Amino acid sequence: MSKGTILISGASAGLGAEMARQFAALGYDLALCARRVDRMEALREEITAAHPGRRVELRALDVTDADAVLSVFGDLADAFGGMDRVIVNAGLGKGAALGTGRPDANRRTAETNFMGALAQAEAAMGIFRAQGNGHLVLISSMSALRGMRRSMTVYAATKAGVSALAEGLRAERVPGLDVSVVHPGYIRTEMNERVEQRTRFMVDTVPGVRSMVAAIERRRVKAYVPAWPWVPIGFAMRVLPLSVVSRLA
């Protein structure tokens, strides 16, 4: 018997794929979206082999196509007869220092991380308002807490925007709606594999995502994960001078 249905975007790799594995193990059916369908097909085979009772639906989706987001989210909600939770996870980590000749990378990151998150929040909220309940989860980043330098500038700005979206929706107090924003620290994924050897506080994917899943299951309003060391680091980031904070990037 299913505990409910969870839609996860950006589910072909990284945090999204591992969240799918862990939520399936907890008893949830899954609606998975990403651009790379072949990766999701392999993931579905893995999940259904490990958990034969789980239902896993897949849809190709580029979250920068707002019309496609509305269509795909609506189609998946119809397929399952509703949606209990939507996890807005799809994102990019590309970027360059502003003015150094890579506006394309910065623009693509902004379009995916913020405009894509906005399109997903719109689609999810339409579903939740219609059914009278739901849990919207937005995956932000510890970098959202302060401005970051060089290649992290635009990424951090987009994640700050995602966090603000979550706060605005919470302020609206929509009946039956829970809103969570999760701020992961450095969790090893394909996105950061080029920098993992020189990044402090990096944790492996499975335990890192386990802390994310635990926070989501508790419907935490805001979570810094893993709690150690990111809860104290989060406090420090809010009060330390920018010159100190920038060394974390």
Side-chain angles (χ1 to χ4, degrees):
M1 183 176 178
S2 173
K3 288 181 64 174
T5 302
I6 301 177
L7 189 157
I8 306 173
S9 68
S12 61
L15 302 181
E18 184 57 31
M19 279 192 285
R21 294 184 184 96
Q22 295 193 21
F23 278 119
L26 290 175
Y28 288 95
D29 290 331
L30 302 171
L32 307 181
C33 308
R35 290 180 293 111
R36 296 178 290 185
V37 178
D38 57 332
R39 292 270 192 110
M40 290 194 296
E41 288 174 342
L43 178 62
R44 175 167 61 182
E45 290 181 6
E46 175 190 339
I47 288 172
T48 54
H51 312 286
R54 296 281 61 80
R55 179 182 174 186
V56 183
E57 293 280 345
L58 311 178
R59 298 292 187 276
L61 180 63
D62 181 341
V63 297
T64 64
D65 184 339
D67 290 337
V69 172
L70 282 170
S71 176
V72 167
F73 277 36
D75 178 50
L76 285 165
D78 289 343
F80 281 99
M83 194 63 60
D84 298 293
R85 177 180 289 154
V86 172
I87 301 178
V88 177
N89 168 73
L92 282 181
K94 295 180 180 180
L98 273 69
T100 59
R102 287 302 310 278
D104 56 317
N106 289 327
R107 185 169 54 250
R108 180 67 176 172
T109 293
E111 290 170 347
T112 301
N113 291 5
F114 184 73
M115 295 304 295
L118 175 59
Q120 293 172 77
E122 285 272 13
M125 288 302 299
I127 294 167
F128 293 155
R129 290 183 194 273
Q131 65 188 25
N133 60 79
H135 182 198
L136 179 63
V137 180
L138 294 107
I139 305 301
S140 182
S141 167
M142 291 299 299
S143 67
L145 300 185
R146 297 290 293 272
M148 293 290 163
R149 60 181 177 171
R150 296 198 295 257
S151 62
M152 288 289 290
T153 299
V154 172
Y155 178 83
T158 65
K159 291 301 187 179
V162 168
S163 296
L165 276 179
E167 188 168 30
L169 285 168
R170 286 199 306 274
E172 191 176 343
R173 298 181 181 274
V174 178
L177 176 70
D178 290 321
V179 181
S180 300
V181 60
V182 179
H183 297 80
Y186 296 127
I187 299 175
R188 188 169 286 111
T189 66
E190 290 180 12
M191 184 185 297
N192 56 37
E193 63 185 358
R194 290 177 297 177
V195 298
E196 65 180 36
Q197 295 306 318
R198 58 184 177 85
T199 301
R200 290 169 290 180
F201 312 123
M202 184 75 76
V203 300
D204 288 336
T205 306
V206 172
V209 171
R210 187 177 299 123
S211 65
M212 295 175 64
V213 167
I216 293 168
E217 280 287 86
R218 291 197 296 270
R219 297 182 179 242
R220 292 274 300 277
V221 168
K222 182 186 295 184
Y224 301 147
V225 296
W228 177 260
W230 293 104
V231 168
I233 288 176
F235 174 80
M237 287 178 70
R238 291 192 298 272
V239 299
L240 289 173
L242 188 60
S243 58
V244 177
V245 173
S246 65
R247 296 173 193 167
L248 294 172

